[in-house]
Amino acid sequence: MARREDGRDWAYRVDPYGFERPEDFDYASYEAFFSRYLVVLTRRAIKWSKLLKGNNSIQKSLKDMNRTFPDNVKFRKTADPCLQHALYNVLVAYGHHNKAVGYCQGMNFIAGYLILITKNEEESFWLLDALIGRILPDYYSPAMLGLKTDQEVLGELVKMKVPAVAELMERHGVMWTLVVSRWFICLFIDILPVETVLRIWDCLFYEGSKIIFRVALTLIKQNQAFILEAMNFPDICDKFKQITKGTFVTECHSFMQKIFTDPGSLSMATINKLRETCREKLLSQG
């Protein structure tokens, strides 16, 4: 290995992230800092380890681990590394971190996607926390009140934006949860193409939960004529499965442009007002 005149290895001039250190880099001060910082890193590592320990209901409830992306080679037990291990760690850690939620079916797909994207357990953990704790509160709590509320909110928005479809649903007694629950709980994973889902998630982290309504309304509005061909209850359910396939959703760039134009104005004030009304209605139903 090449050495500098002062005897330091050339590799020593590169920091752990790959950046070259300047000629006047103060190695003594950095080593003093890092010796202190190692205490912080060790403390964080111990905390992370504690989150992963314990044999309680969180681990016992992770029965659908093997069903997470069975068609993805990186999650197969024969993969090296097998991302199921990372997924398990993230979900167990999050269950300990947010005991009010623990583990809920659907979280495995979201955490799995985050691991595929970040390739890092800790980053996936904090992104999961942002989604479940801040962007989508009460979606994955035991009562799933936030999830149920937002499905009802979508129904109200369809009445405003695509009334003919809302009237069709009411005429045939089709509840919105029957046709859109997986859109909400899985955030369009295994519903829309991967590239489209990732573009939606970019907007979800940046703009918040109203993006879910924009996507749902765009799918319904763009396929209004097709949906209105439905003649009965099962026909409606089948139409909603079909509208998530095809060129329109595959062309992710043009699709994302559409979600910001097709639904028209959609303010958070409107959504929050509808949430308040729908939540009260659900709570009164017991």
Side-chain angles (χ1 to χ4, degrees):
M1 183 180 289
R3 301 180 71 87
R4 296 175 57 196
E5 290 180 3
D6 61 5
R8 294 187 186 276
D9 291 332
W10 176 258
Y12 198 66
R13 292 191 59 200
V14 180
D15 72 15
Y17 309 100
F19 295 102
E20 287 188 337
R21 288 166 171 155
E23 291 290 335
D24 58 351
F25 185 79
D26 189 341
Y27 289 90
S29 295
Y30 179 79
E31 286 171 359
F33 150 75
F34 202 77
S35 64
R36 297 190 302 272
Y37 188 53
L38 274 174
V39 177
V40 178
L41 291 177
T42 302
R43 188 166 63 241
R44 286 168 63 89
I46 292 171
K47 185 177 180 181
W48 184 250
S49 177
K50 285 181 178 177
L51 283 171
L52 296 177
K53 284 183 180 177
N55 183 23
N56 58 23
S57 60
I58 295 168
Q59 283 93 329
K60 290 176 184 176
S61 66
L62 294 173
K63 287 169 185 179
D64 53 353
M65 283 281 294
N66 292 332
R67 297 201 300 272
T68 306
F69 307 128
D71 56 345
N72 189 304
V73 296
K74 294 184 179 182
F75 281 91
R76 291 175 186 164
K77 290 182 178 179
T78 53
D80 186 22
C82 173
L83 292 188
Q84 277 199 28
H85 303 307
L87 176 61
Y88 179 86
N89 289 343
V90 170
L91 290 174
V92 170
Y94 191 76
H96 285 287
H97 171 72
N98 188 343
K99 291 182 170 62
V101 171
Y103 173 74
C104 173
Q105 196 168 16
M107 286 170 56
N108 56 319
F109 290 103
I110 295 169
Y113 247 51
L114 292 171
I115 289 166
L116 282 170
I117 298 161
T118 65
K119 301 177 177 63
N120 181 286
E121 289 182 22
E122 190 170 357
E123 288 178 11
S124 298
F125 172 89
W126 289 115
L127 287 170
L128 185 67
D129 187 46
L131 277 173
I132 294 175
R134 177 173 56 85
I135 300 173
L136 304 170
D138 284 340
Y139 264 46
Y140 303 95
S141 61
M144 290 184 160
L145 183 59
L147 179 74
K148 294 173 184 175
T149 297
D150 278 2
Q151 290 174 162
E152 294 300 315
V153 169
L154 176 62
E156 294 301 314
L157 289 171
V158 174
K159 284 181 186 177
M160 296 162 55
K161 307 279 186 179
V162 204
V165 171
E167 193 275 331
L168 177 76
M169 298 283 284
E170 288 182 15
R171 189 166 72 247
H172 290 282
V174 182
M175 294 185 295
W176 282 102
T177 187
L178 290 174
V179 293
V180 302
S181 60
R182 288 188 65 234
W183 296 7
F184 283 82
I185 199 166
C186 293
L187 303 180
F188 300 102
I189 295 172
D190 279 356
I191 305 294
L192 298 177
V194 175
E195 292 82 4
T196 307
V197 173
L198 295 180
R199 290 289 298 274
I200 292 168
W201 282 25
D202 281 345
C203 295
L204 181 62
F205 278 108
Y206 185 72
E207 296 208 12
S209 58
K210 72 176 179 180
I211 292 300
I212 300 174
F213 298 110
R214 284 198 168 277
V215 173
L217 286 169
T218 301
L219 287 169
I220 294 166
K221 195 167 186 178
Q222 276 284 320
N223 295 280
Q224 178 177 192
F226 178 70
I227 294 169
L228 293 176
E229 291 173 2
M231 302 298 291
N232 51 47
F233 190 110
D235 205 12
I236 292 172
C237 295
D238 186 60
K239 297 286 186 190
F240 270 85
K241 287 179 183 177
Q242 292 185 55
I243 66 173
T244 59
K245 299 176 175 64
T247 305
F248 177 62
V249 295
T250 303
E251 298 286 342
C252 61
H253 189 63
S254 59
F255 179 81
M256 294 307 293
Q257 291 175 326
K258 285 285 187 183
I259 75 168
F260 288 102
T261 56
D262 274 22
S265 176
L266 190 63
S267 68
M268 278 308 301
T270 299
I271 291 171
N272 287 334
K273 189 174 181 180
L274 287 172
R275 277 174 169 163
E276 187 178 338
T277 304
C278 292
R279 187 180 293 112
E280 288 176 0
K281 182 181 175 183
L282 286 167
L283 290 171
S284 68
Q285 293 171 352

